[in-house]
Every structure is written in structure tokens, then in C-alpha cells.
Amino acid sequence: KQEVTQIPAALSVPEGENLVLNCSFTDSAIYNLQWFRQDPGKGLTSLLLIQSSQREQTSGRLNASLDKSSGRSTLYIAASQPGDSATYLCAALFLYNQGGKLIFGQGTELSVKP
Amino acid sequence: KAGVTQTPRYLIKTRGQQVTLSCSPISGHRSVSWYQQTPGQGLQFLFEYFSETQRNKGNFPGRFSGRQFSNSRSEMNVSTLELGDSALYLCASSSIPGVAGNIQYFGAGTRLSVL
């Protein structure tokens, strides 16, 4: 069964701290892995997408890595800010019937304290 | 470029009723996927449509159905509503399904409450 797990479920850090969110997946046949941000009651905002042939992607203070062989991805947030407070979700894309299906982790709820 | 638009944003229904949710993808996108988000189960895949054809379906009962129109807009229907159907329903659009570099863009969702 294809599963995606995120650790920790919740994280509280002081402003300015660097932090790492973890994501693991059981099936290495992923096509890509996306990290999303979700604010309370809102939809998902795509942060970074790593294709299966890539090792990492960077956008501003965010860096995501992918290790297919170990079934892991990490999202690194540098110099965290209160505005980074949200739930972060990773999702692995698997191919079915020429289409795709995203399998999501349960998310990490991040709180950055001023 | 307008994003993914979902209507309505909020719905309140009673058990046994049916409901139709709408999703307009980003202009030029032909793939639409639907997801259900609940506190207990998290985000779960419902179905994916491309060029008016259902490509994939998640593990949901037949009460959940959908369709896609020639302009790529999609609707999702839930019949005989149950309390457990209360959730945030999210729609995502992408240009071409099954491509490694293909980002899925999500709408703000429709929050359905079943009383």
C-alpha cells in the first residue's frame, strides 16, 4: 500500500530558527514529490516540486530534498518567520492509467513564535 | 491568469440530500482532480478527469461521482449525504497528467457541512 508519513505532526519554534520537516513514503516508484502549505480553512499552495530524477529544489528560504532509495524527503526552512506558521503537507505523485494520483501525508503543523 | 475557482465556498446540507460542487481549472489546464480533506483521514484522492474522461478513481463509494465538460470545468456530485461526508473538498488542476514536472494547483475548496 502506498503511504506517505510526516514527522513531526506539530512543531513550535522561535522566530529565526532553521528547521527541517520530514516526509517518508513507502513506494519508491513515485513520479514526483510536492510540498504544499495550507493556512487554516484555506486551500493548498504549492511550494516546491521535485521530480523523481532530481535531488533537490530551492525557492527563497525553502529547500526540499528527495532520496528515492530511502523513501525520504525533507523540507528545510531557513530563518523562520511568524508568517511561516501553517500546516505543511508533502504529497507523492504516483502514475495510474496514464494519469496521476497524489498521496498526501497527514501534515506538520508549524508555529513560529515571535 | 486566474487560479482554480471552486463554487460554492460553503454549503450546509442535511442527511439524505444531494450536492453538486463545481471547479473551474486554470485556463489551458485540461486535468482536474478532486480530493476530500477531513481531520481524521486527512487528504484523500477522489477522482481525476482529463479530456472529459475519468482517468482514476479513489476508494470512495458510488455515491461520489463527477464529470468534466468540454471546457475542462468539472463538477462533483454526492448523493444521499451522510454525516461523515462533512469535509473540505478540494479541486486541483494541472496541464498534463502523469508528467513528472507537472504541478497541481489547488483551489480554495468547498466546505460542506452535513447536519
Side-chain angles (χ1 to χ4, degrees), chain A residues 85-99:
Chain A
S85 297
T87 296
Y88 290 81
L89 294 144
C90 72
L93 180 70
F94 294 94
L95 292 189
Y96 292 96
N97 300 324
Q98 300 179 338

Side-chain angles (χ1 to χ4, degrees), chain B residues 18-61:
Chain B
Q18 76 159 18
V19 68
T20 299
L21 313 182
S22 179
C23 172
S24 293
I26 291 172
S27 178
H29 284 189
R30 295 168 60 193
S31 175
V32 173
S33 298
W34 288 89
Y35 295 83
Q36 181 197 64
Q37 186 177 32
T38 59
Q41 298 297 318
L43 271 154
Q44 293 185 288
F45 173 78
L46 280 158
F47 21 65
E48 176 193 29
Y49 287 88
F50 178 71
S51 294
E52 302 177 65
T53 301
Q54 187 180 86
R55 287 282 186 90
N56 293 293
K57 191 177 192 306
N59 190 25
F60 279 81

Side-chain angles (χ1 to χ4, degrees), chain A residues 31-32 34 36 38 41-44 46 49 51 89 93 95-102 104 106, chain B residues 9 35 37 41-43 45 48 55-56 88 90 97-104 106-108 111:
Chain A
Y31 218 51
N32 66 37
Q34 272 189 263
F36 294 91
Q38 185 174 33
K42 302 291 180 61
L44 306 182
S46 180
L49 179 147
Q51 299 182 39
L89 294 144
L93 180 70
L95 292 189
Y96 292 96
N97 300 324
Q98 300 179 338
K101 177 168 77 173
L102 278 175
F104 282 86
Q106 292 285 4
Chain B
R9 289 295 313 281
Y35 295 83
Q37 186 177 32
Q41 298 297 318
L43 271 154
F45 173 78
E48 176 193 29
R55 287 282 186 90
N56 293 293
L88 180 66
L90 292 165
V99 174
N102 201 29
I103 296 175
Q104 293 208 15
F106 281 77
R111 183 163 296 281

